[in-house]
Amino acid sequence: LTKLKSTYADGLGKVIAPDGRIHTSFQNTVTATGRLSSTEPNLQNIPVRTELGAELRKMFVAPAGKVLVDADYSQIELRLLAHIAGDKAMIDGFRSGEDIHTITAAQVFGVARSEVTPLMRRSAKAVNFGIVYGQQAYGLSQTLDIPMAEAREMIDAYFRAYPGVRTYLDETVAFAKQTGYAETMYGRRRPIPELRVPAQRMFGERTAMNHPMQGSAADIIKIAMVRVAERLRAEGFAAKMILQVHDELDFECPASEVDALVAMVREEMEGVAQLRVPLIADASIGETWAEAK
């Protein structure tokens, strides 16, 4: 409560400009992953995961006659993993249009998709996203509060289900050890000197595994931002792109333009890269940032 009050309620209240808005600054060359970062104040870390924290987003309200439109990529890093690794089972899972976490749970626990329980899905979701970040058995056991042996078996079952992912991750780490860097789909490199320091080698390996996905996602949304901005200008939209939060773009839009804006933004975001799996952007609308998320 103290953190929420001091950092957000009190902190953001102090930086409201005379025009009634809060203006952040975006840094393009600070993060190692290539993501934009937001400073003074940081508007990319407004809480959303907890119910109480998410209440803070009600403070951000669209002007009269306008709404906020939130467009964000659905599971972009997992989709990029499927594309870059070329794993047939994962590619087929995304192409089917079914929930990838349910599909993974069925594979990992050896049950039919119709028999997957919410707990199984939650566990599979943790494995899916953990693998993207190079998580090992210890990390997964902490996340799910399960014994190490059980976490190790889940990861082994995951790699049996998606053998192409295991091969890809091993090859990516070997490449980074040989060259000293990992790179995105677009060829942007991240040096990983930690791979040559024994005490930091595990961090270096996790970084090598994750950078191609997280870095490529950063590249893709920046390209999307440029294309969306060009369309906003060329087609005379009154809507404005006002914020980027990693995989999410936020717009302030007259109510009369909502349908046209959503169609255009989804077209550009989904058309940035031709992947082996669909690239999906979901859009939501609301009078406050909380409603639009």
Side-chain angles (χ1 to χ4, degrees):
L1 287 171
T2 302
K3 167 71 174 173
L4 291 175
K5 181 178 185 300
S6 62
T7 302
Y8 302 108
D10 297 340
L12 291 174
K14 293 173 184 172
V15 292
I16 298 172
D19 62 1
R21 296 172 180 265
I22 293 174
H23 300 271
T24 187
S25 296
F26 285 106
Q27 316 299 323
N28 198 23
T29 56
V30 171
T31 69
T33 60
R35 284 177 157 184
L36 292 179
S37 62
S38 163
T39 57
E40 296 181 345
N42 182 354
L43 290 182
Q44 292 181 325
N45 74 341
I46 307 299
V48 70
R49 296 189 188 282
T50 65
E51 190 174 337
L52 185 61
E55 289 281 304
L56 291 163
R57 294 189 172 219
K58 292 181 179 177
M59 296 192 298
F60 297 87
V61 182
K66 297 183 179 180
V67 294
L68 298 178
V69 176
D70 176 307
D72 69 303
Y73 281 118
S74 169
Q75 303 166 335
I76 186 170
E77 291 183 19
L78 266 182
R79 292 173 189 272
L80 286 169
L81 175 61
H83 170 76
I84 298 171
D87 183 272
K88 184 179 184 306
M90 188 174 279
I91 289 170
D92 289 347
F94 275 118
R95 285 179 175 173
S96 75
E98 292 188 49
D99 175 59
I100 192 67
H101 303 312
T102 300
I103 293 171
T104 300
Q107 299 264 25
V108 168
F109 293 104
V111 300
R113 293 177 191 175
S114 59
E115 296 173 6
V116 171
T117 65
L119 180 60
M120 287 178 181
R121 184 187 180 278
R122 185 176 77 87
S123 299
K125 183 176 181 179
V127 179
N128 268 331
F129 287 120
I131 294 297
V132 170
Y133 287 93
Q135 191 176 60
Q136 306 297 317
Y138 174 76
L140 183 63
S141 71
Q142 296 294 108
T143 300
L144 294 176
D145 193 22
I146 58 176
M148 275 270 286
E150 190 177 331
R152 191 172 293 110
E153 172 51 36
M154 284 182 66
I155 290 175
D156 289 345
Y158 180 94
F159 285 132
R160 286 194 296 271
Y162 302 128
V165 173
R166 169 82 281 173
T167 301
Y168 163 71
L169 293 176
D170 289 344
E171 290 175 351
T172 300
V173 171
F175 174 84
K177 285 179 177 176
Q178 180 183 350
T179 61
Y181 61 82
E183 63 182 3
T184 70
M185 278 169 47
Y186 296 86
R188 187 165 51 75
R189 297 176 179 178
R190 174 178 179 172
I192 310 179
E194 293 89 352
L195 287 168
R196 296 192 170 91
V197 182
Q200 297 179 312
R201 185 173 56 82
M202 292 291 286
F203 171 81
E205 290 181 359
R206 290 196 301 273
T207 300
M209 292 178 196
N210 174 248
H211 180 69
M213 278 76 74
Q214 193 173 79
S216 295
D219 293 342
I220 282 170
I221 198 156
K222 286 180 181 178
I223 296 167
M225 290 172 74
V226 171
R227 292 184 180 180
V228 167
E230 288 172 349
R231 290 278 299 273
L232 287 172
R233 281 194 296 269
E235 296 172 25
F237 278 93
K240 292 182 171 65
M241 181 160 44
I242 56 174
L243 190 64
Q244 188 255 45
V245 185
H246 306 315
D247 301 332
E248 162 194 332
L249 297 180
D250 293 298
F251 301 83
E252 182 181 291
C253 178
S256 59
E257 282 186 2
V258 167
D259 291 345
L261 177 75
V262 168
M264 181 275 282
V265 170
R266 289 191 62 187
E267 179 185 337
E268 292 302 337
M269 289 179 71
E270 295 178 353
V272 167
Q274 299 305 307
L275 306 182
R276 302 184 220 199
V277 299
L279 190 58
I280 303 294
D282 297 319
S284 51
I285 300 133
E287 292 182 4
T288 71
W289 195 9
E291 290 175 15
K293 183 58 185 163

